[in-house]
Amino acid sequence: MKRRSFLQCSGAALAAAPLMGTLRSARAEAPAAAPQRRVLPINRGWRYSPQPVAGFEARDFDDRAFERVVVPHSNKLLPWHGFDEHESQFVSSYRRRFKLPAGARGQRVFVDFEGVMTAATVWINGRKLGEYRGGYTPFSFELTADVDWTGPNVLAVSVDSTERADIPPFGDIVDYLTFGGIYREVALRIVPASGFIADFAAAPREVMSDRPGLDVHCEIDGAAEGASVEATLLDGERAIATARGPVSGGAAALALEQLAGIKRWGLDVPKLYRLQLRLWQGGRVVDQEERRIGFREARFTPDGFMLNGEVVKLRGLNRHQTYPFMGAAVAARGQRQDAITLKRQLKINIVRTSHYPQSRHFLDACDELGLLVLEEIPGWQHVGDVAWQALAIDNVERMVRRDRHHASIILWGVRINESRDFHDFYTRTNALARRLDPTRPTCGIRYFQESEFLEDVFTMNDFEFPLKAPNHSAYLNTEFVGHTFPTKSTDNAARLTEHMLRHARIHDQLASDPRYAGGLGWCAFDYNTHGNFGAGDHICYHGVSDIFREMKPAAGFYRSQCEPSDEVVLEPAFHWCTADDYQWLKQVMFCSNCEALRVYVGNQLIQEIAPDRAQFPHLRHPPFTIDLYKAANDTDRDLRVEGLMAGRVVIERRWSGKSVDRGFELRADTSELIADGADLTRVVFRVTDEFGELKPYATGAIELKLEGPATLIGDAPFALVGGLGAVWVRAGEQPGRVTLTARHPTLGKRSVVLALKPAVAELA
Ligand code: GAL
């Protein structure tokens, strides 16, 4: 799909615009000219200096001493924990030369930044264009007046990655790190001077009928005299319907009516369509833009959250966008991988992009996978002065405009996470979100029930157990467990079991009352934080998975809540050991969606057990409990568990009782990368028992050797933690073959091979 253009600013009211379009059957007329919009990525070929450099913005500045880098770029690579958070808080300098393509003269040229942490001052050929403040939202500058149409041009960007109190989320303490750099993609956009499509919104309606409609509101930048806009809905390459309407007052409103054969977007079949807009002027198509949309009805009701007319209990987790070593500077594949992990491995149906808008690649993957999203503005407890609040309001606008086409997004979070009430401020954030997107409800993540309810859906972080009774119908609990029970993958069996239980108990209570729309646990992955939060090593160990995205036992609970037709799941809530702190053996727990489990110790059947409905009366797939105290209070005994459905064994797992490290595994998330200098894959290594199960206390320095056109991001050697570790391999700019070899001190070496495919050339 094409990149979206980022709107320069503020907009006409979508809701207020009259519907002027007319329905026509799928189009017959071919466009008279090829669309002229050109979006030219400029991610490669940046020069970087990790400090402010006097005069660096001048076109002829000699930047040979600058490092050559590719964005997404992190201003500083860091260890995965134990670093000083100030290490990435500095001002840095970036430069990018480019020559415009032939034929650009006479058009308008913009530069679009998808995300720069935390403030960016931009120059073109030595002329200052301005400063954009905000690390999570896209921004653009127009270059037209200052570009050289034939010669070299230089973009210069001074990136301020300090924690500036004038920019959300800063001004007080914050429980996460933002890191720094030009950490999302950049592109030049060349559009017709006579007028171009600045932004558009699509609002599906009557989605539950067999003839839904689609309202399209398009904003045009420029005079566009006598222009019209044509909207075409496509299923793949097949046009379904087209409408065309005049541009008036810088906008066009169109309606596609009575659409036949539309399939709804759902969790199992997330059907997406393409909406293509063409701007016609003087009998020619002068501009074209496209977005993917979906048709679905998402409603919060007293009976719960309903998707396409069916109640779906929301079972989710919060996600921070940061990764070990690189912070947030992770290219598309890494972003998409997180969505895959959440949907396919953790089996959740909703994710909250805590606490800010996240990468478009992540959201695209959520659309494609059928993973619902609650997206919110940047902020954490603190609300600053009027200027600060104006930035937060601007964040609402940029978030909604950037993302309102995503079928996966069902809620806009328009409050600063866990802040006090601010009547005027939050009245404005709500009104703005509703005006820009009348199709989705607002919410605001609060920490006390009595807070003023200005939003459409009541959302609250409730860390207590039992949870508070819902004080509104359609009540979504947006955070629980988290700091109340941090758990490391190296913790003992009793703590790991309790961690899982706390998530399970909350979901059981959420399932007990239809007024709870569901809940999102804190959180999916351990994350880097400030020194005054977390475990004293700059990590909050609040994830059900670790910072490398490897599961802890609590992840097994989320996994086990899927239907067996999706995947048969059997996960232990412990690491198998029969002697250490053995009281826990009285309550050994498994998470499974099987009907029964048969538990064997040392090949002797101890018991066939049923789901623990006494403890979890409301869960569809309760965890299983067994007392192995007597049976297992002995060393050197393997544990074997069979999962049964309709009396048949459908899954079996074994854990060794020998307490010996036997296996060493190395696994990459993909075997193919694009040689664009940014594409990357995680590579995980684990020490296992003879059955392939993790040995959580295995240590050892893993030597890593990378051969070929790529770089290793991570510790090398890597000291195992929780019996495992991970590094990332980032593609270079040359195609070829890359081999990563990992050597364990006693278990030998393993290799993975990656093929690097040629990338599309970029503007030089
Ligand atoms: C919440 C906060 C999260 C995180 C969490 C830890 O209060 O919203 O960002 O700090 O606590 O449990």
Side-chain angles (χ1 to χ4, degrees):
M1 169 172 121
K2 284 183 57 181
R3 289 184 71 255
R4 287 138 295 158
S5 68
F6 298 129
L7 195 79
Q8 307 326 273
C9 226
S10 79
L14 169 63
L19 298 177
M20 294 172 290
T22 49
L23 170 74
R24 301 189 315 173
S25 58
R27 55 186 325 276
E29 242 173 300
Q36 294 183 21
R37 168 183 299 255
R38 270 181 280 185
V39 176
L40 306 164
I42 46 168
N43 297 316
R44 297 156 67 178
W46 287 86
R47 307 278 156 168
Y48 170 69
S49 177
Q51 60 219 332
V53 178
F56 87 114
E57 68 276 16
R59 178 152 47 166
D60 55 3
F61 175 84
D62 182 354
D63 62 14
R64 275 174 299 179
F66 281 35
E67 187 191 345
R68 194 190 144 90
V69 300
V70 176
V71 301
H73 178 250
S74 180
N75 64 350
K76 172 108 178 130
L77 293 177
L78 292 162
W80 65 270
H81 70 154
F83 53 83
D84 180 341
E85 71 220 32
H86 298 99
E87 286 185 61
S88 60
Q89 294 172 27
F90 56 88
V91 175
S92 55
S93 309
Y94 291 78
R95 285 167 54 88
R96 174 63 157 84
R97 280 192 192 76
F98 66 90
K99 264 183 139 175
L100 288 166
R105 190 193 291 273
Q107 302 192 63
R108 291 174 69 184
V109 183
F110 294 85
V111 58
D112 297 333
F113 290 89
E114 296 194 34
V116 179
M117 195 63 76
T118 303
T121 306
V122 182
W123 291 261
I124 179 74
N125 297 333
R127 192 172 85 81
K128 187 171 171 176
L129 298 169
E131 181 189 48
Y132 181 75
R133 288 178 287 158
Y136 297 100
T137 33
F139 59 95
S140 304
F141 285 104
E142 180 157 12
L143 311 180
T144 315
D146 299 284
V147 283
D148 188 329
W149 298 103
T150 51
N153 295 282
V154 175
L155 264 178
V157 190
S158 169
V159 177
D160 186 350
S161 304
T162 63
E163 299 191 348
R164 278 173 44 175
D166 60 330
I167 306 175
F170 300 117
D172 200 356
I173 54 170
V174 178
D175 171 23
Y176 53 92
L177 291 183
T178 52
F179 299 99
I182 302 183
Y183 79 104
R184 289 182 186 158
E185 290 90 334
V186 189
L188 293 179
R189 174 167 42 99
I190 305 174
V191 287
S194 59
F196 63 92
I197 298 167
D199 196 13
F200 66 96
R205 67 182 143 72
E206 293 126 49
V207 169
M208 297 307 289
S209 77
D210 54 3
R211 294 271 161 161
L214 184 68
D215 294 335
V216 181
H217 179 78
C218 178
E219 291 167 27
I220 305 297
D221 190 314
E225 284 304 324
S228 62
V229 173
E230 177 190 56
T232 305
L233 183 70
L234 296 117
D235 182 1
E237 295 305 314
R238 186 175 65 87
I240 296 174
T242 293
R244 191 155 155 181
V247 175
S248 160
L254 314 154
L256 286 88
E257 309 281 3
Q258 304 265 328
L259 301 167
I262 295 291
K263 295 197 182 70
R264 287 190 281 271
W265 183 95
L267 301 181
D268 298 331
V269 185
K271 174 73 185 168
L272 294 169
Y273 292 87
R274 296 164 58 200
L275 178 62
Q276 199 175 70
L277 260 68
R278 288 181 167 145
L279 179 64
W280 286 78
Q281 217 174 356
R284 295 188 319 134
V285 172
V286 294
D287 192 19
Q288 176 172 315
E289 256 286 61
E290 177 175 322
R291 281 172 204 170
R292 284 190 314 189
I293 60 162
F295 291 80
R296 88 282 180 286
E297 187 192 72
R299 289 194 302 134
F300 286 82
T301 78
D303 296 326
F305 171 72
M306 296 183 88
L307 185 65
N308 300 329
E310 278 176 26
V311 174
V312 174
K313 190 61 93 171
L314 295 173
R315 185 179 68 245
L317 290 163
N318 287 268
R319 176 210 185 219
H320 267 305
Q321 67 172 5
T322 55
Y323 296 71
F325 314 116
M326 313 162 265
V330 171
R333 192 186 303 274
Q335 301 288 342
R336 298 177 62 87
Q337 187 62 46
D338 263 8
I340 293 169
T341 300
L342 295 171
K343 170 86 182 185
R344 301 243 167 92
Q345 191 181 51
L346 301 182
K347 310 287 187 187
I348 60 173
N349 56 28
I350 184 166
V351 58
R352 170 172 168 224
T353 64
S354 51
H355 302 292
Y356 36 76
Q358 300 190 352
S359 159
R360 73 180 153 102
H361 303 295
F362 179 74
L363 297 171
D364 282 345
C366 292
D367 285 349
E368 292 162 24
L369 291 161
L371 176 58
L372 302 166
V373 178
L374 186 177
E375 188 169 48
E376 69 185 343
I377 52 170
W380 203 83
Q381 298 187 348
H382 166 76
V383 173
D385 60 12
V386 172
W388 191 103
Q389 291 176 26
L391 285 181
I393 290 168
D394 178 68
N395 284 334
V396 172
E397 171 143 10
R398 287 171 196 267
M399 171 179 79
V400 175
R401 285 186 178 277
R402 190 194 70 163
D403 292 332
R404 57 190 167 178
H405 64 286
H406 286 289
S408 56
I409 295 179
I410 55 163
L411 277 172
W412 298 122
V414 298
R415 269 184 190 240
I416 302 304
N417 171 65
E418 295 185 338
S419 54
R420 292 190 288 115
D421 284 342
F422 288 85
H423 177 83
D424 294 346
F425 176 34
Y426 292 138
T427 300
R428 289 178 66 192
T429 58
N430 272 284
L432 181 57
R434 289 178 184 130
R435 177 167 68 76
L436 293 169
D437 181 13
T439 73
R440 285 183 183 81
T442 61
C443 70
I445 313 301
R446 22 172 77 65
Y447 66 100
F448 60 111
Q449 275 194 338
E450 302 71 32
S451 110
E452 190 188 10
F453 186 43
L454 298 166
E455 292 78 16
D456 302 316
V457 176
F458 194 87
T459 49
M460 162 145 168
N461 296 344
D462 185 355
F463 283 90
E464 285 170 29
F465 181 77
L467 298 171
K468 292 182 188 65
N471 61 341
H472 290 80
S473 59
Y475 180 107
L476 182 63
N477 186 359
T478 33
E479 287 186 35
F480 46 86
V481 186
H483 63 280
T484 64
F485 206 75
T487 304
K488 302 178 184 66
S489 39
T490 48
D491 280 333
N492 66 16
R495 189 167 184 100
L496 293 168
T497 300
E498 178 63 18
H499 187 222
M500 179 285 286
L501 277 169
R502 288 184 182 219
H503 281 273
R505 284 185 201 122
I506 300 279
H507 282 286
D508 187 66
Q509 192 183 341
L510 292 169
S512 72
D513 186 331
R515 289 174 301 164
Y516 290 121
L520 298 98
W522 188 267
C523 58
F525 312 119
D526 292 347
Y527 56 97
N528 287 129
T529 189
H530 289 88
N532 50 347
F533 289 91
D537 63 347
H538 281 87
I539 293 199
C540 276
Y541 292 90
H542 299 171
V544 300
S545 294
D546 68 16
I547 198 166
F548 305 106
R549 280 58 178 156
E550 286 294 290
M551 296 196 302
K552 299 176 197 171
F557 166 72
Y558 285 87
R559 252 175 93 56
S560 68
Q561 296 309 296
C562 75
E563 291 310 304
S565 53
D566 173 6
E567 185 179 341
V568 175
V569 174
L570 169 56
E571 297 290 347
F574 54 84
H575 297 310
W576 183 233
C577 61
T578 51
D580 195 15
D581 196 14
Y582 48 80
Q583 292 296 325
W584 76 276
L585 289 165
K586 291 180 178 157
Q587 193 185 241
V588 174
M589 302 213 60
F590 299 91
C591 295
S592 175
N593 52 10
C594 291
E595 289 161 1
L597 300 182
R598 276 191 205 131
V599 181
Y600 302 79
V601 175
N603 268 336
Q604 185 196 336
L605 175 64
I606 307 299
Q607 201 184 341
E608 180 171 318
I609 48 175
D612 190 346
R613 296 203 187 280
Q615 225 187 132
F616 304 101
H618 308 291
L619 284 176
R620 194 163 156 75
H621 300 295
F624 291 70
T625 316
I626 185 169
D627 182 349
L628 292 181
Y629 187 74
K630 287 208 186 71
N633 200 355
D634 193 0
T635 51
D636 196 12
R637 302 183 77 184
D638 297 346
L639 173 69
R640 179 160 66 91
V641 181
E642 294 170 347
L644 290 98
M645 300 286 294
R648 263 181 2 112
V649 175
V650 286
I651 188 168
E652 185 197 67
R653 284 180 74 171
R654 290 165 187 242
W655 295 267
S656 173
K658 297 194 176 51
S659 307
V660 180
D661 297 347
R662 289 275 188 224
F664 181 51
E665 289 174 358
L666 185 68
R667 179 170 42 83
D669 290 338
T670 185
S671 56
E672 216 173 87
L673 294 176
I674 306 296
D676 61 2
D679 195 8
L680 81 179
T681 182
R682 185 184 68 139
V683 183
V684 187
F685 30 91
R686 316 159 77 230
V687 172
T688 68
D689 64 14
E690 61 269 34
F691 304 120
E693 296 292 349
L694 183 68
K695 294 283 292 159
Y697 303 123
T699 53
I702 306 301
E703 285 172 43
L704 295 161
K705 194 166 115 200
L706 184 73
E707 293 160 289
T711 47
L712 186 70
I713 300 184
D715 292 355
F718 193 108
L720 292 177
V721 54
L724 57 84
V727 292
W728 275 257
V729 174
R730 179 161 164 146
E733 294 180 70
Q734 298 300 320
R737 197 179 127 103
V738 169
T739 307
L740 179 69
T741 304
R743 182 195 291 275
H744 181 278
T746 57
L747 298 169
K749 61 177 184 179
R750 305 279 181 273
S751 295
V752 289
V753 176
L754 306 170
L756 264 59
K757 302 282 175 202
V760 178
E762 269 196 3
L763 194 66

